[in-house]
């Protein structure tokens, strides 16, 4: 097994199960799961300079621009130079991928290809706990009490952009933006695509792929 640090990225549209797959990879292989959404929330909560910049866009319902996300992620990666990591939600665009190139070379990029109808159904059944970012799905991980967060007892909400009419627009937008990023990594031979409608069926293949690069710390039978 290589002793060099593993640098991996997961790509996938909203509702593709990225979060679940990331959690499993992190637990099975001891990788740090670095989520751009999580860092954004943390920085906004802490009123950092980059958090305040991001907040201005989010409050207007706009996407956080490349230069803000890139600055945020570069400083997070700088702090994790000695760790194996898995990036989730970054790079989202070609410009972000170029910025990442300047500081490291990726070993693995996985992309989840999930049918449009499946994504639409999943997202419309997704409810979140806004303060923590915890996500529930009424089909496969419903809250213990309908509409209530398991941990805090606070109410769950359905985000505007998880409502069916908004989902189609989000998926189209993801496809347009992700295409050049996917092509870039494909041309380098580091891209691995996984297709299906169930995370549990995709997982063994993802596990096998990572096992070839890094020694597992937990067997996949844990799932």
């Amino acid at each position: 097994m290589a002793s060099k640090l593993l640098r991996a990225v997961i790509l996938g549209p909203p509702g593709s199960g990225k979060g679940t797959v990331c959690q499993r990879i992190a637990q099975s292989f001891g990788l740090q799961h670095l989520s751009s959404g999580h860092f954004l929330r943390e920085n906004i909560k802490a009123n950092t300079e980059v958090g305040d910049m991001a907040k201005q866009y989010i409050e207007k319902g706009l996407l956080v621009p490349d230069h803000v996300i890139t600055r945020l992620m570069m400083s997070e990666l700088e702090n994790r130079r000695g760790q194996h990591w898995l990036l989730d939600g970054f790079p989202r665009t070609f410009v972000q991928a170029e910025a990442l190139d300047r500081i490291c070379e990726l070993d693995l990029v996985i992309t989840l290809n999930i049918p449009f109808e499946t994504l639409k159904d999943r997202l419309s059944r997704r409810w979140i706990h806004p303060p923590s970012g915890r996500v529930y799905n009424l089909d496969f991980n419903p809250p213990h009490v309908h509409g209530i967060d398991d941990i805090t007892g606070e109410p769950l909400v359905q985000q505007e952009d998880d409502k069916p009419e908004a989902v189609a627009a989000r998926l189209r937008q993801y496809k347009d933006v992700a295409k050049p990023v996917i092509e870039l990594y494909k041309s380098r031979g580091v891209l691995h695509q996984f297709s299906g409608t169930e995370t549990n069926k995709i997982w063994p293949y993802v596990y096998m792929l990572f096992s070839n690069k890094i020694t597992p710390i937990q067997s996949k039978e844990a799932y």
Side-chain angles (χ1 to χ4, degrees):
M1 288 290 168
S3 59
K4 77 185 274 291
L5 292 167
L6 187 72
R7 303 286 180 239
V9 164
I10 183 165
L11 304 171
S16 60
K18 274 203 314 287
T20 307
V21 171
C22 284
Q23 259 171 346
R24 290 183 181 189
I25 293 170
Q27 285 168 358
S28 299
F29 298 97
L31 272 71
Q32 290 288 319
H33 171 201
L34 310 181
S35 154
S36 59
H38 171 74
F39 292 138
L40 267 178
R41 282 192 296 276
E42 293 288 295
N43 276 267
I44 289 169
K45 211 187 288 178
N47 293 114
T48 64
E49 189 190 343
V50 74
D52 290 342
M53 285 162 76
K55 191 176 176 182
Q56 290 170 18
Y57 292 96
I58 292 167
E59 283 176 344
K60 292 176 188 152
L62 301 169
L63 279 178
V64 179
D66 287 335
H67 71 274
V68 177
I69 288 280
T70 299
R71 188 172 148 192
L72 168 75
M73 295 307 289
M74 292 301 128
S75 80
E76 293 293 347
L77 292 174
E78 192 59 39
N79 296 335
R80 292 170 172 77
R81 283 187 151 184
Q83 300 171 346
H84 296 289
W85 49 246
L86 170 66
L87 281 176
D88 164 16
F90 181 90
R92 190 162 278 167
T93 67
F94 192 75
V95 172
Q96 292 173 16
E98 286 181 320
L100 185 57
D101 265 357
R102 288 194 283 276
I103 65 157
C104 72
E105 204 174 297
L106 294 174
D107 304 295
L108 275 185
V109 178
I110 65 175
T111 177
L112 304 176
N113 296 333
I114 314 294
F116 180 78
E117 283 306 314
T118 304
L119 293 173
K120 221 163 65 174
D121 290 347
R122 275 186 194 173
L123 287 169
S124 61
R125 299 187 60 71
R126 186 161 86 159
W127 290 75
I128 71 155
H129 176 245
S132 67
R134 262 188 296 282
V135 177
Y136 296 88
N137 185 289
L138 301 183
D139 291 329
F140 49 85
N141 65 329
H144 298 319
V145 178
H146 183 71
I148 299 293
D149 178 53
D150 289 350
I151 293 168
T152 63
E154 292 168 347
L156 300 174
V157 300
Q158 185 169 44
Q159 291 177 300
E160 282 301 317
D161 55 5
D162 282 342
K163 293 180 178 165
E165 56 282 6
V167 168
R170 278 172 76 196
L171 294 177
R172 270 197 305 275
Q173 184 191 34
Y174 169 80
K175 221 171 175 180
D176 293 344
V177 172
K179 199 175 175 197
V181 179
I182 287 170
E183 290 303 322
L184 172 73
Y185 294 133
K186 199 177 190 173
S187 72
R188 291 187 184 163
V190 292
L191 184 81
H192 300 265
Q193 306 198 44
F194 297 95
S195 303
T197 55
E198 291 174 49
T199 303
N200 284 342
K201 288 189 177 164
I202 293 172
W203 170 243
Y205 299 100
V206 175
Y207 181 90
M208 210 183 307
L209 173 70
F210 274 82
S211 299
N212 291 331
K213 295 276 183 186
I214 184 172
T215 309
I217 56 170
Q218 273 188 17
S219 77
K220 69 173 186 292
E221 280 64 47
Y223 303 98

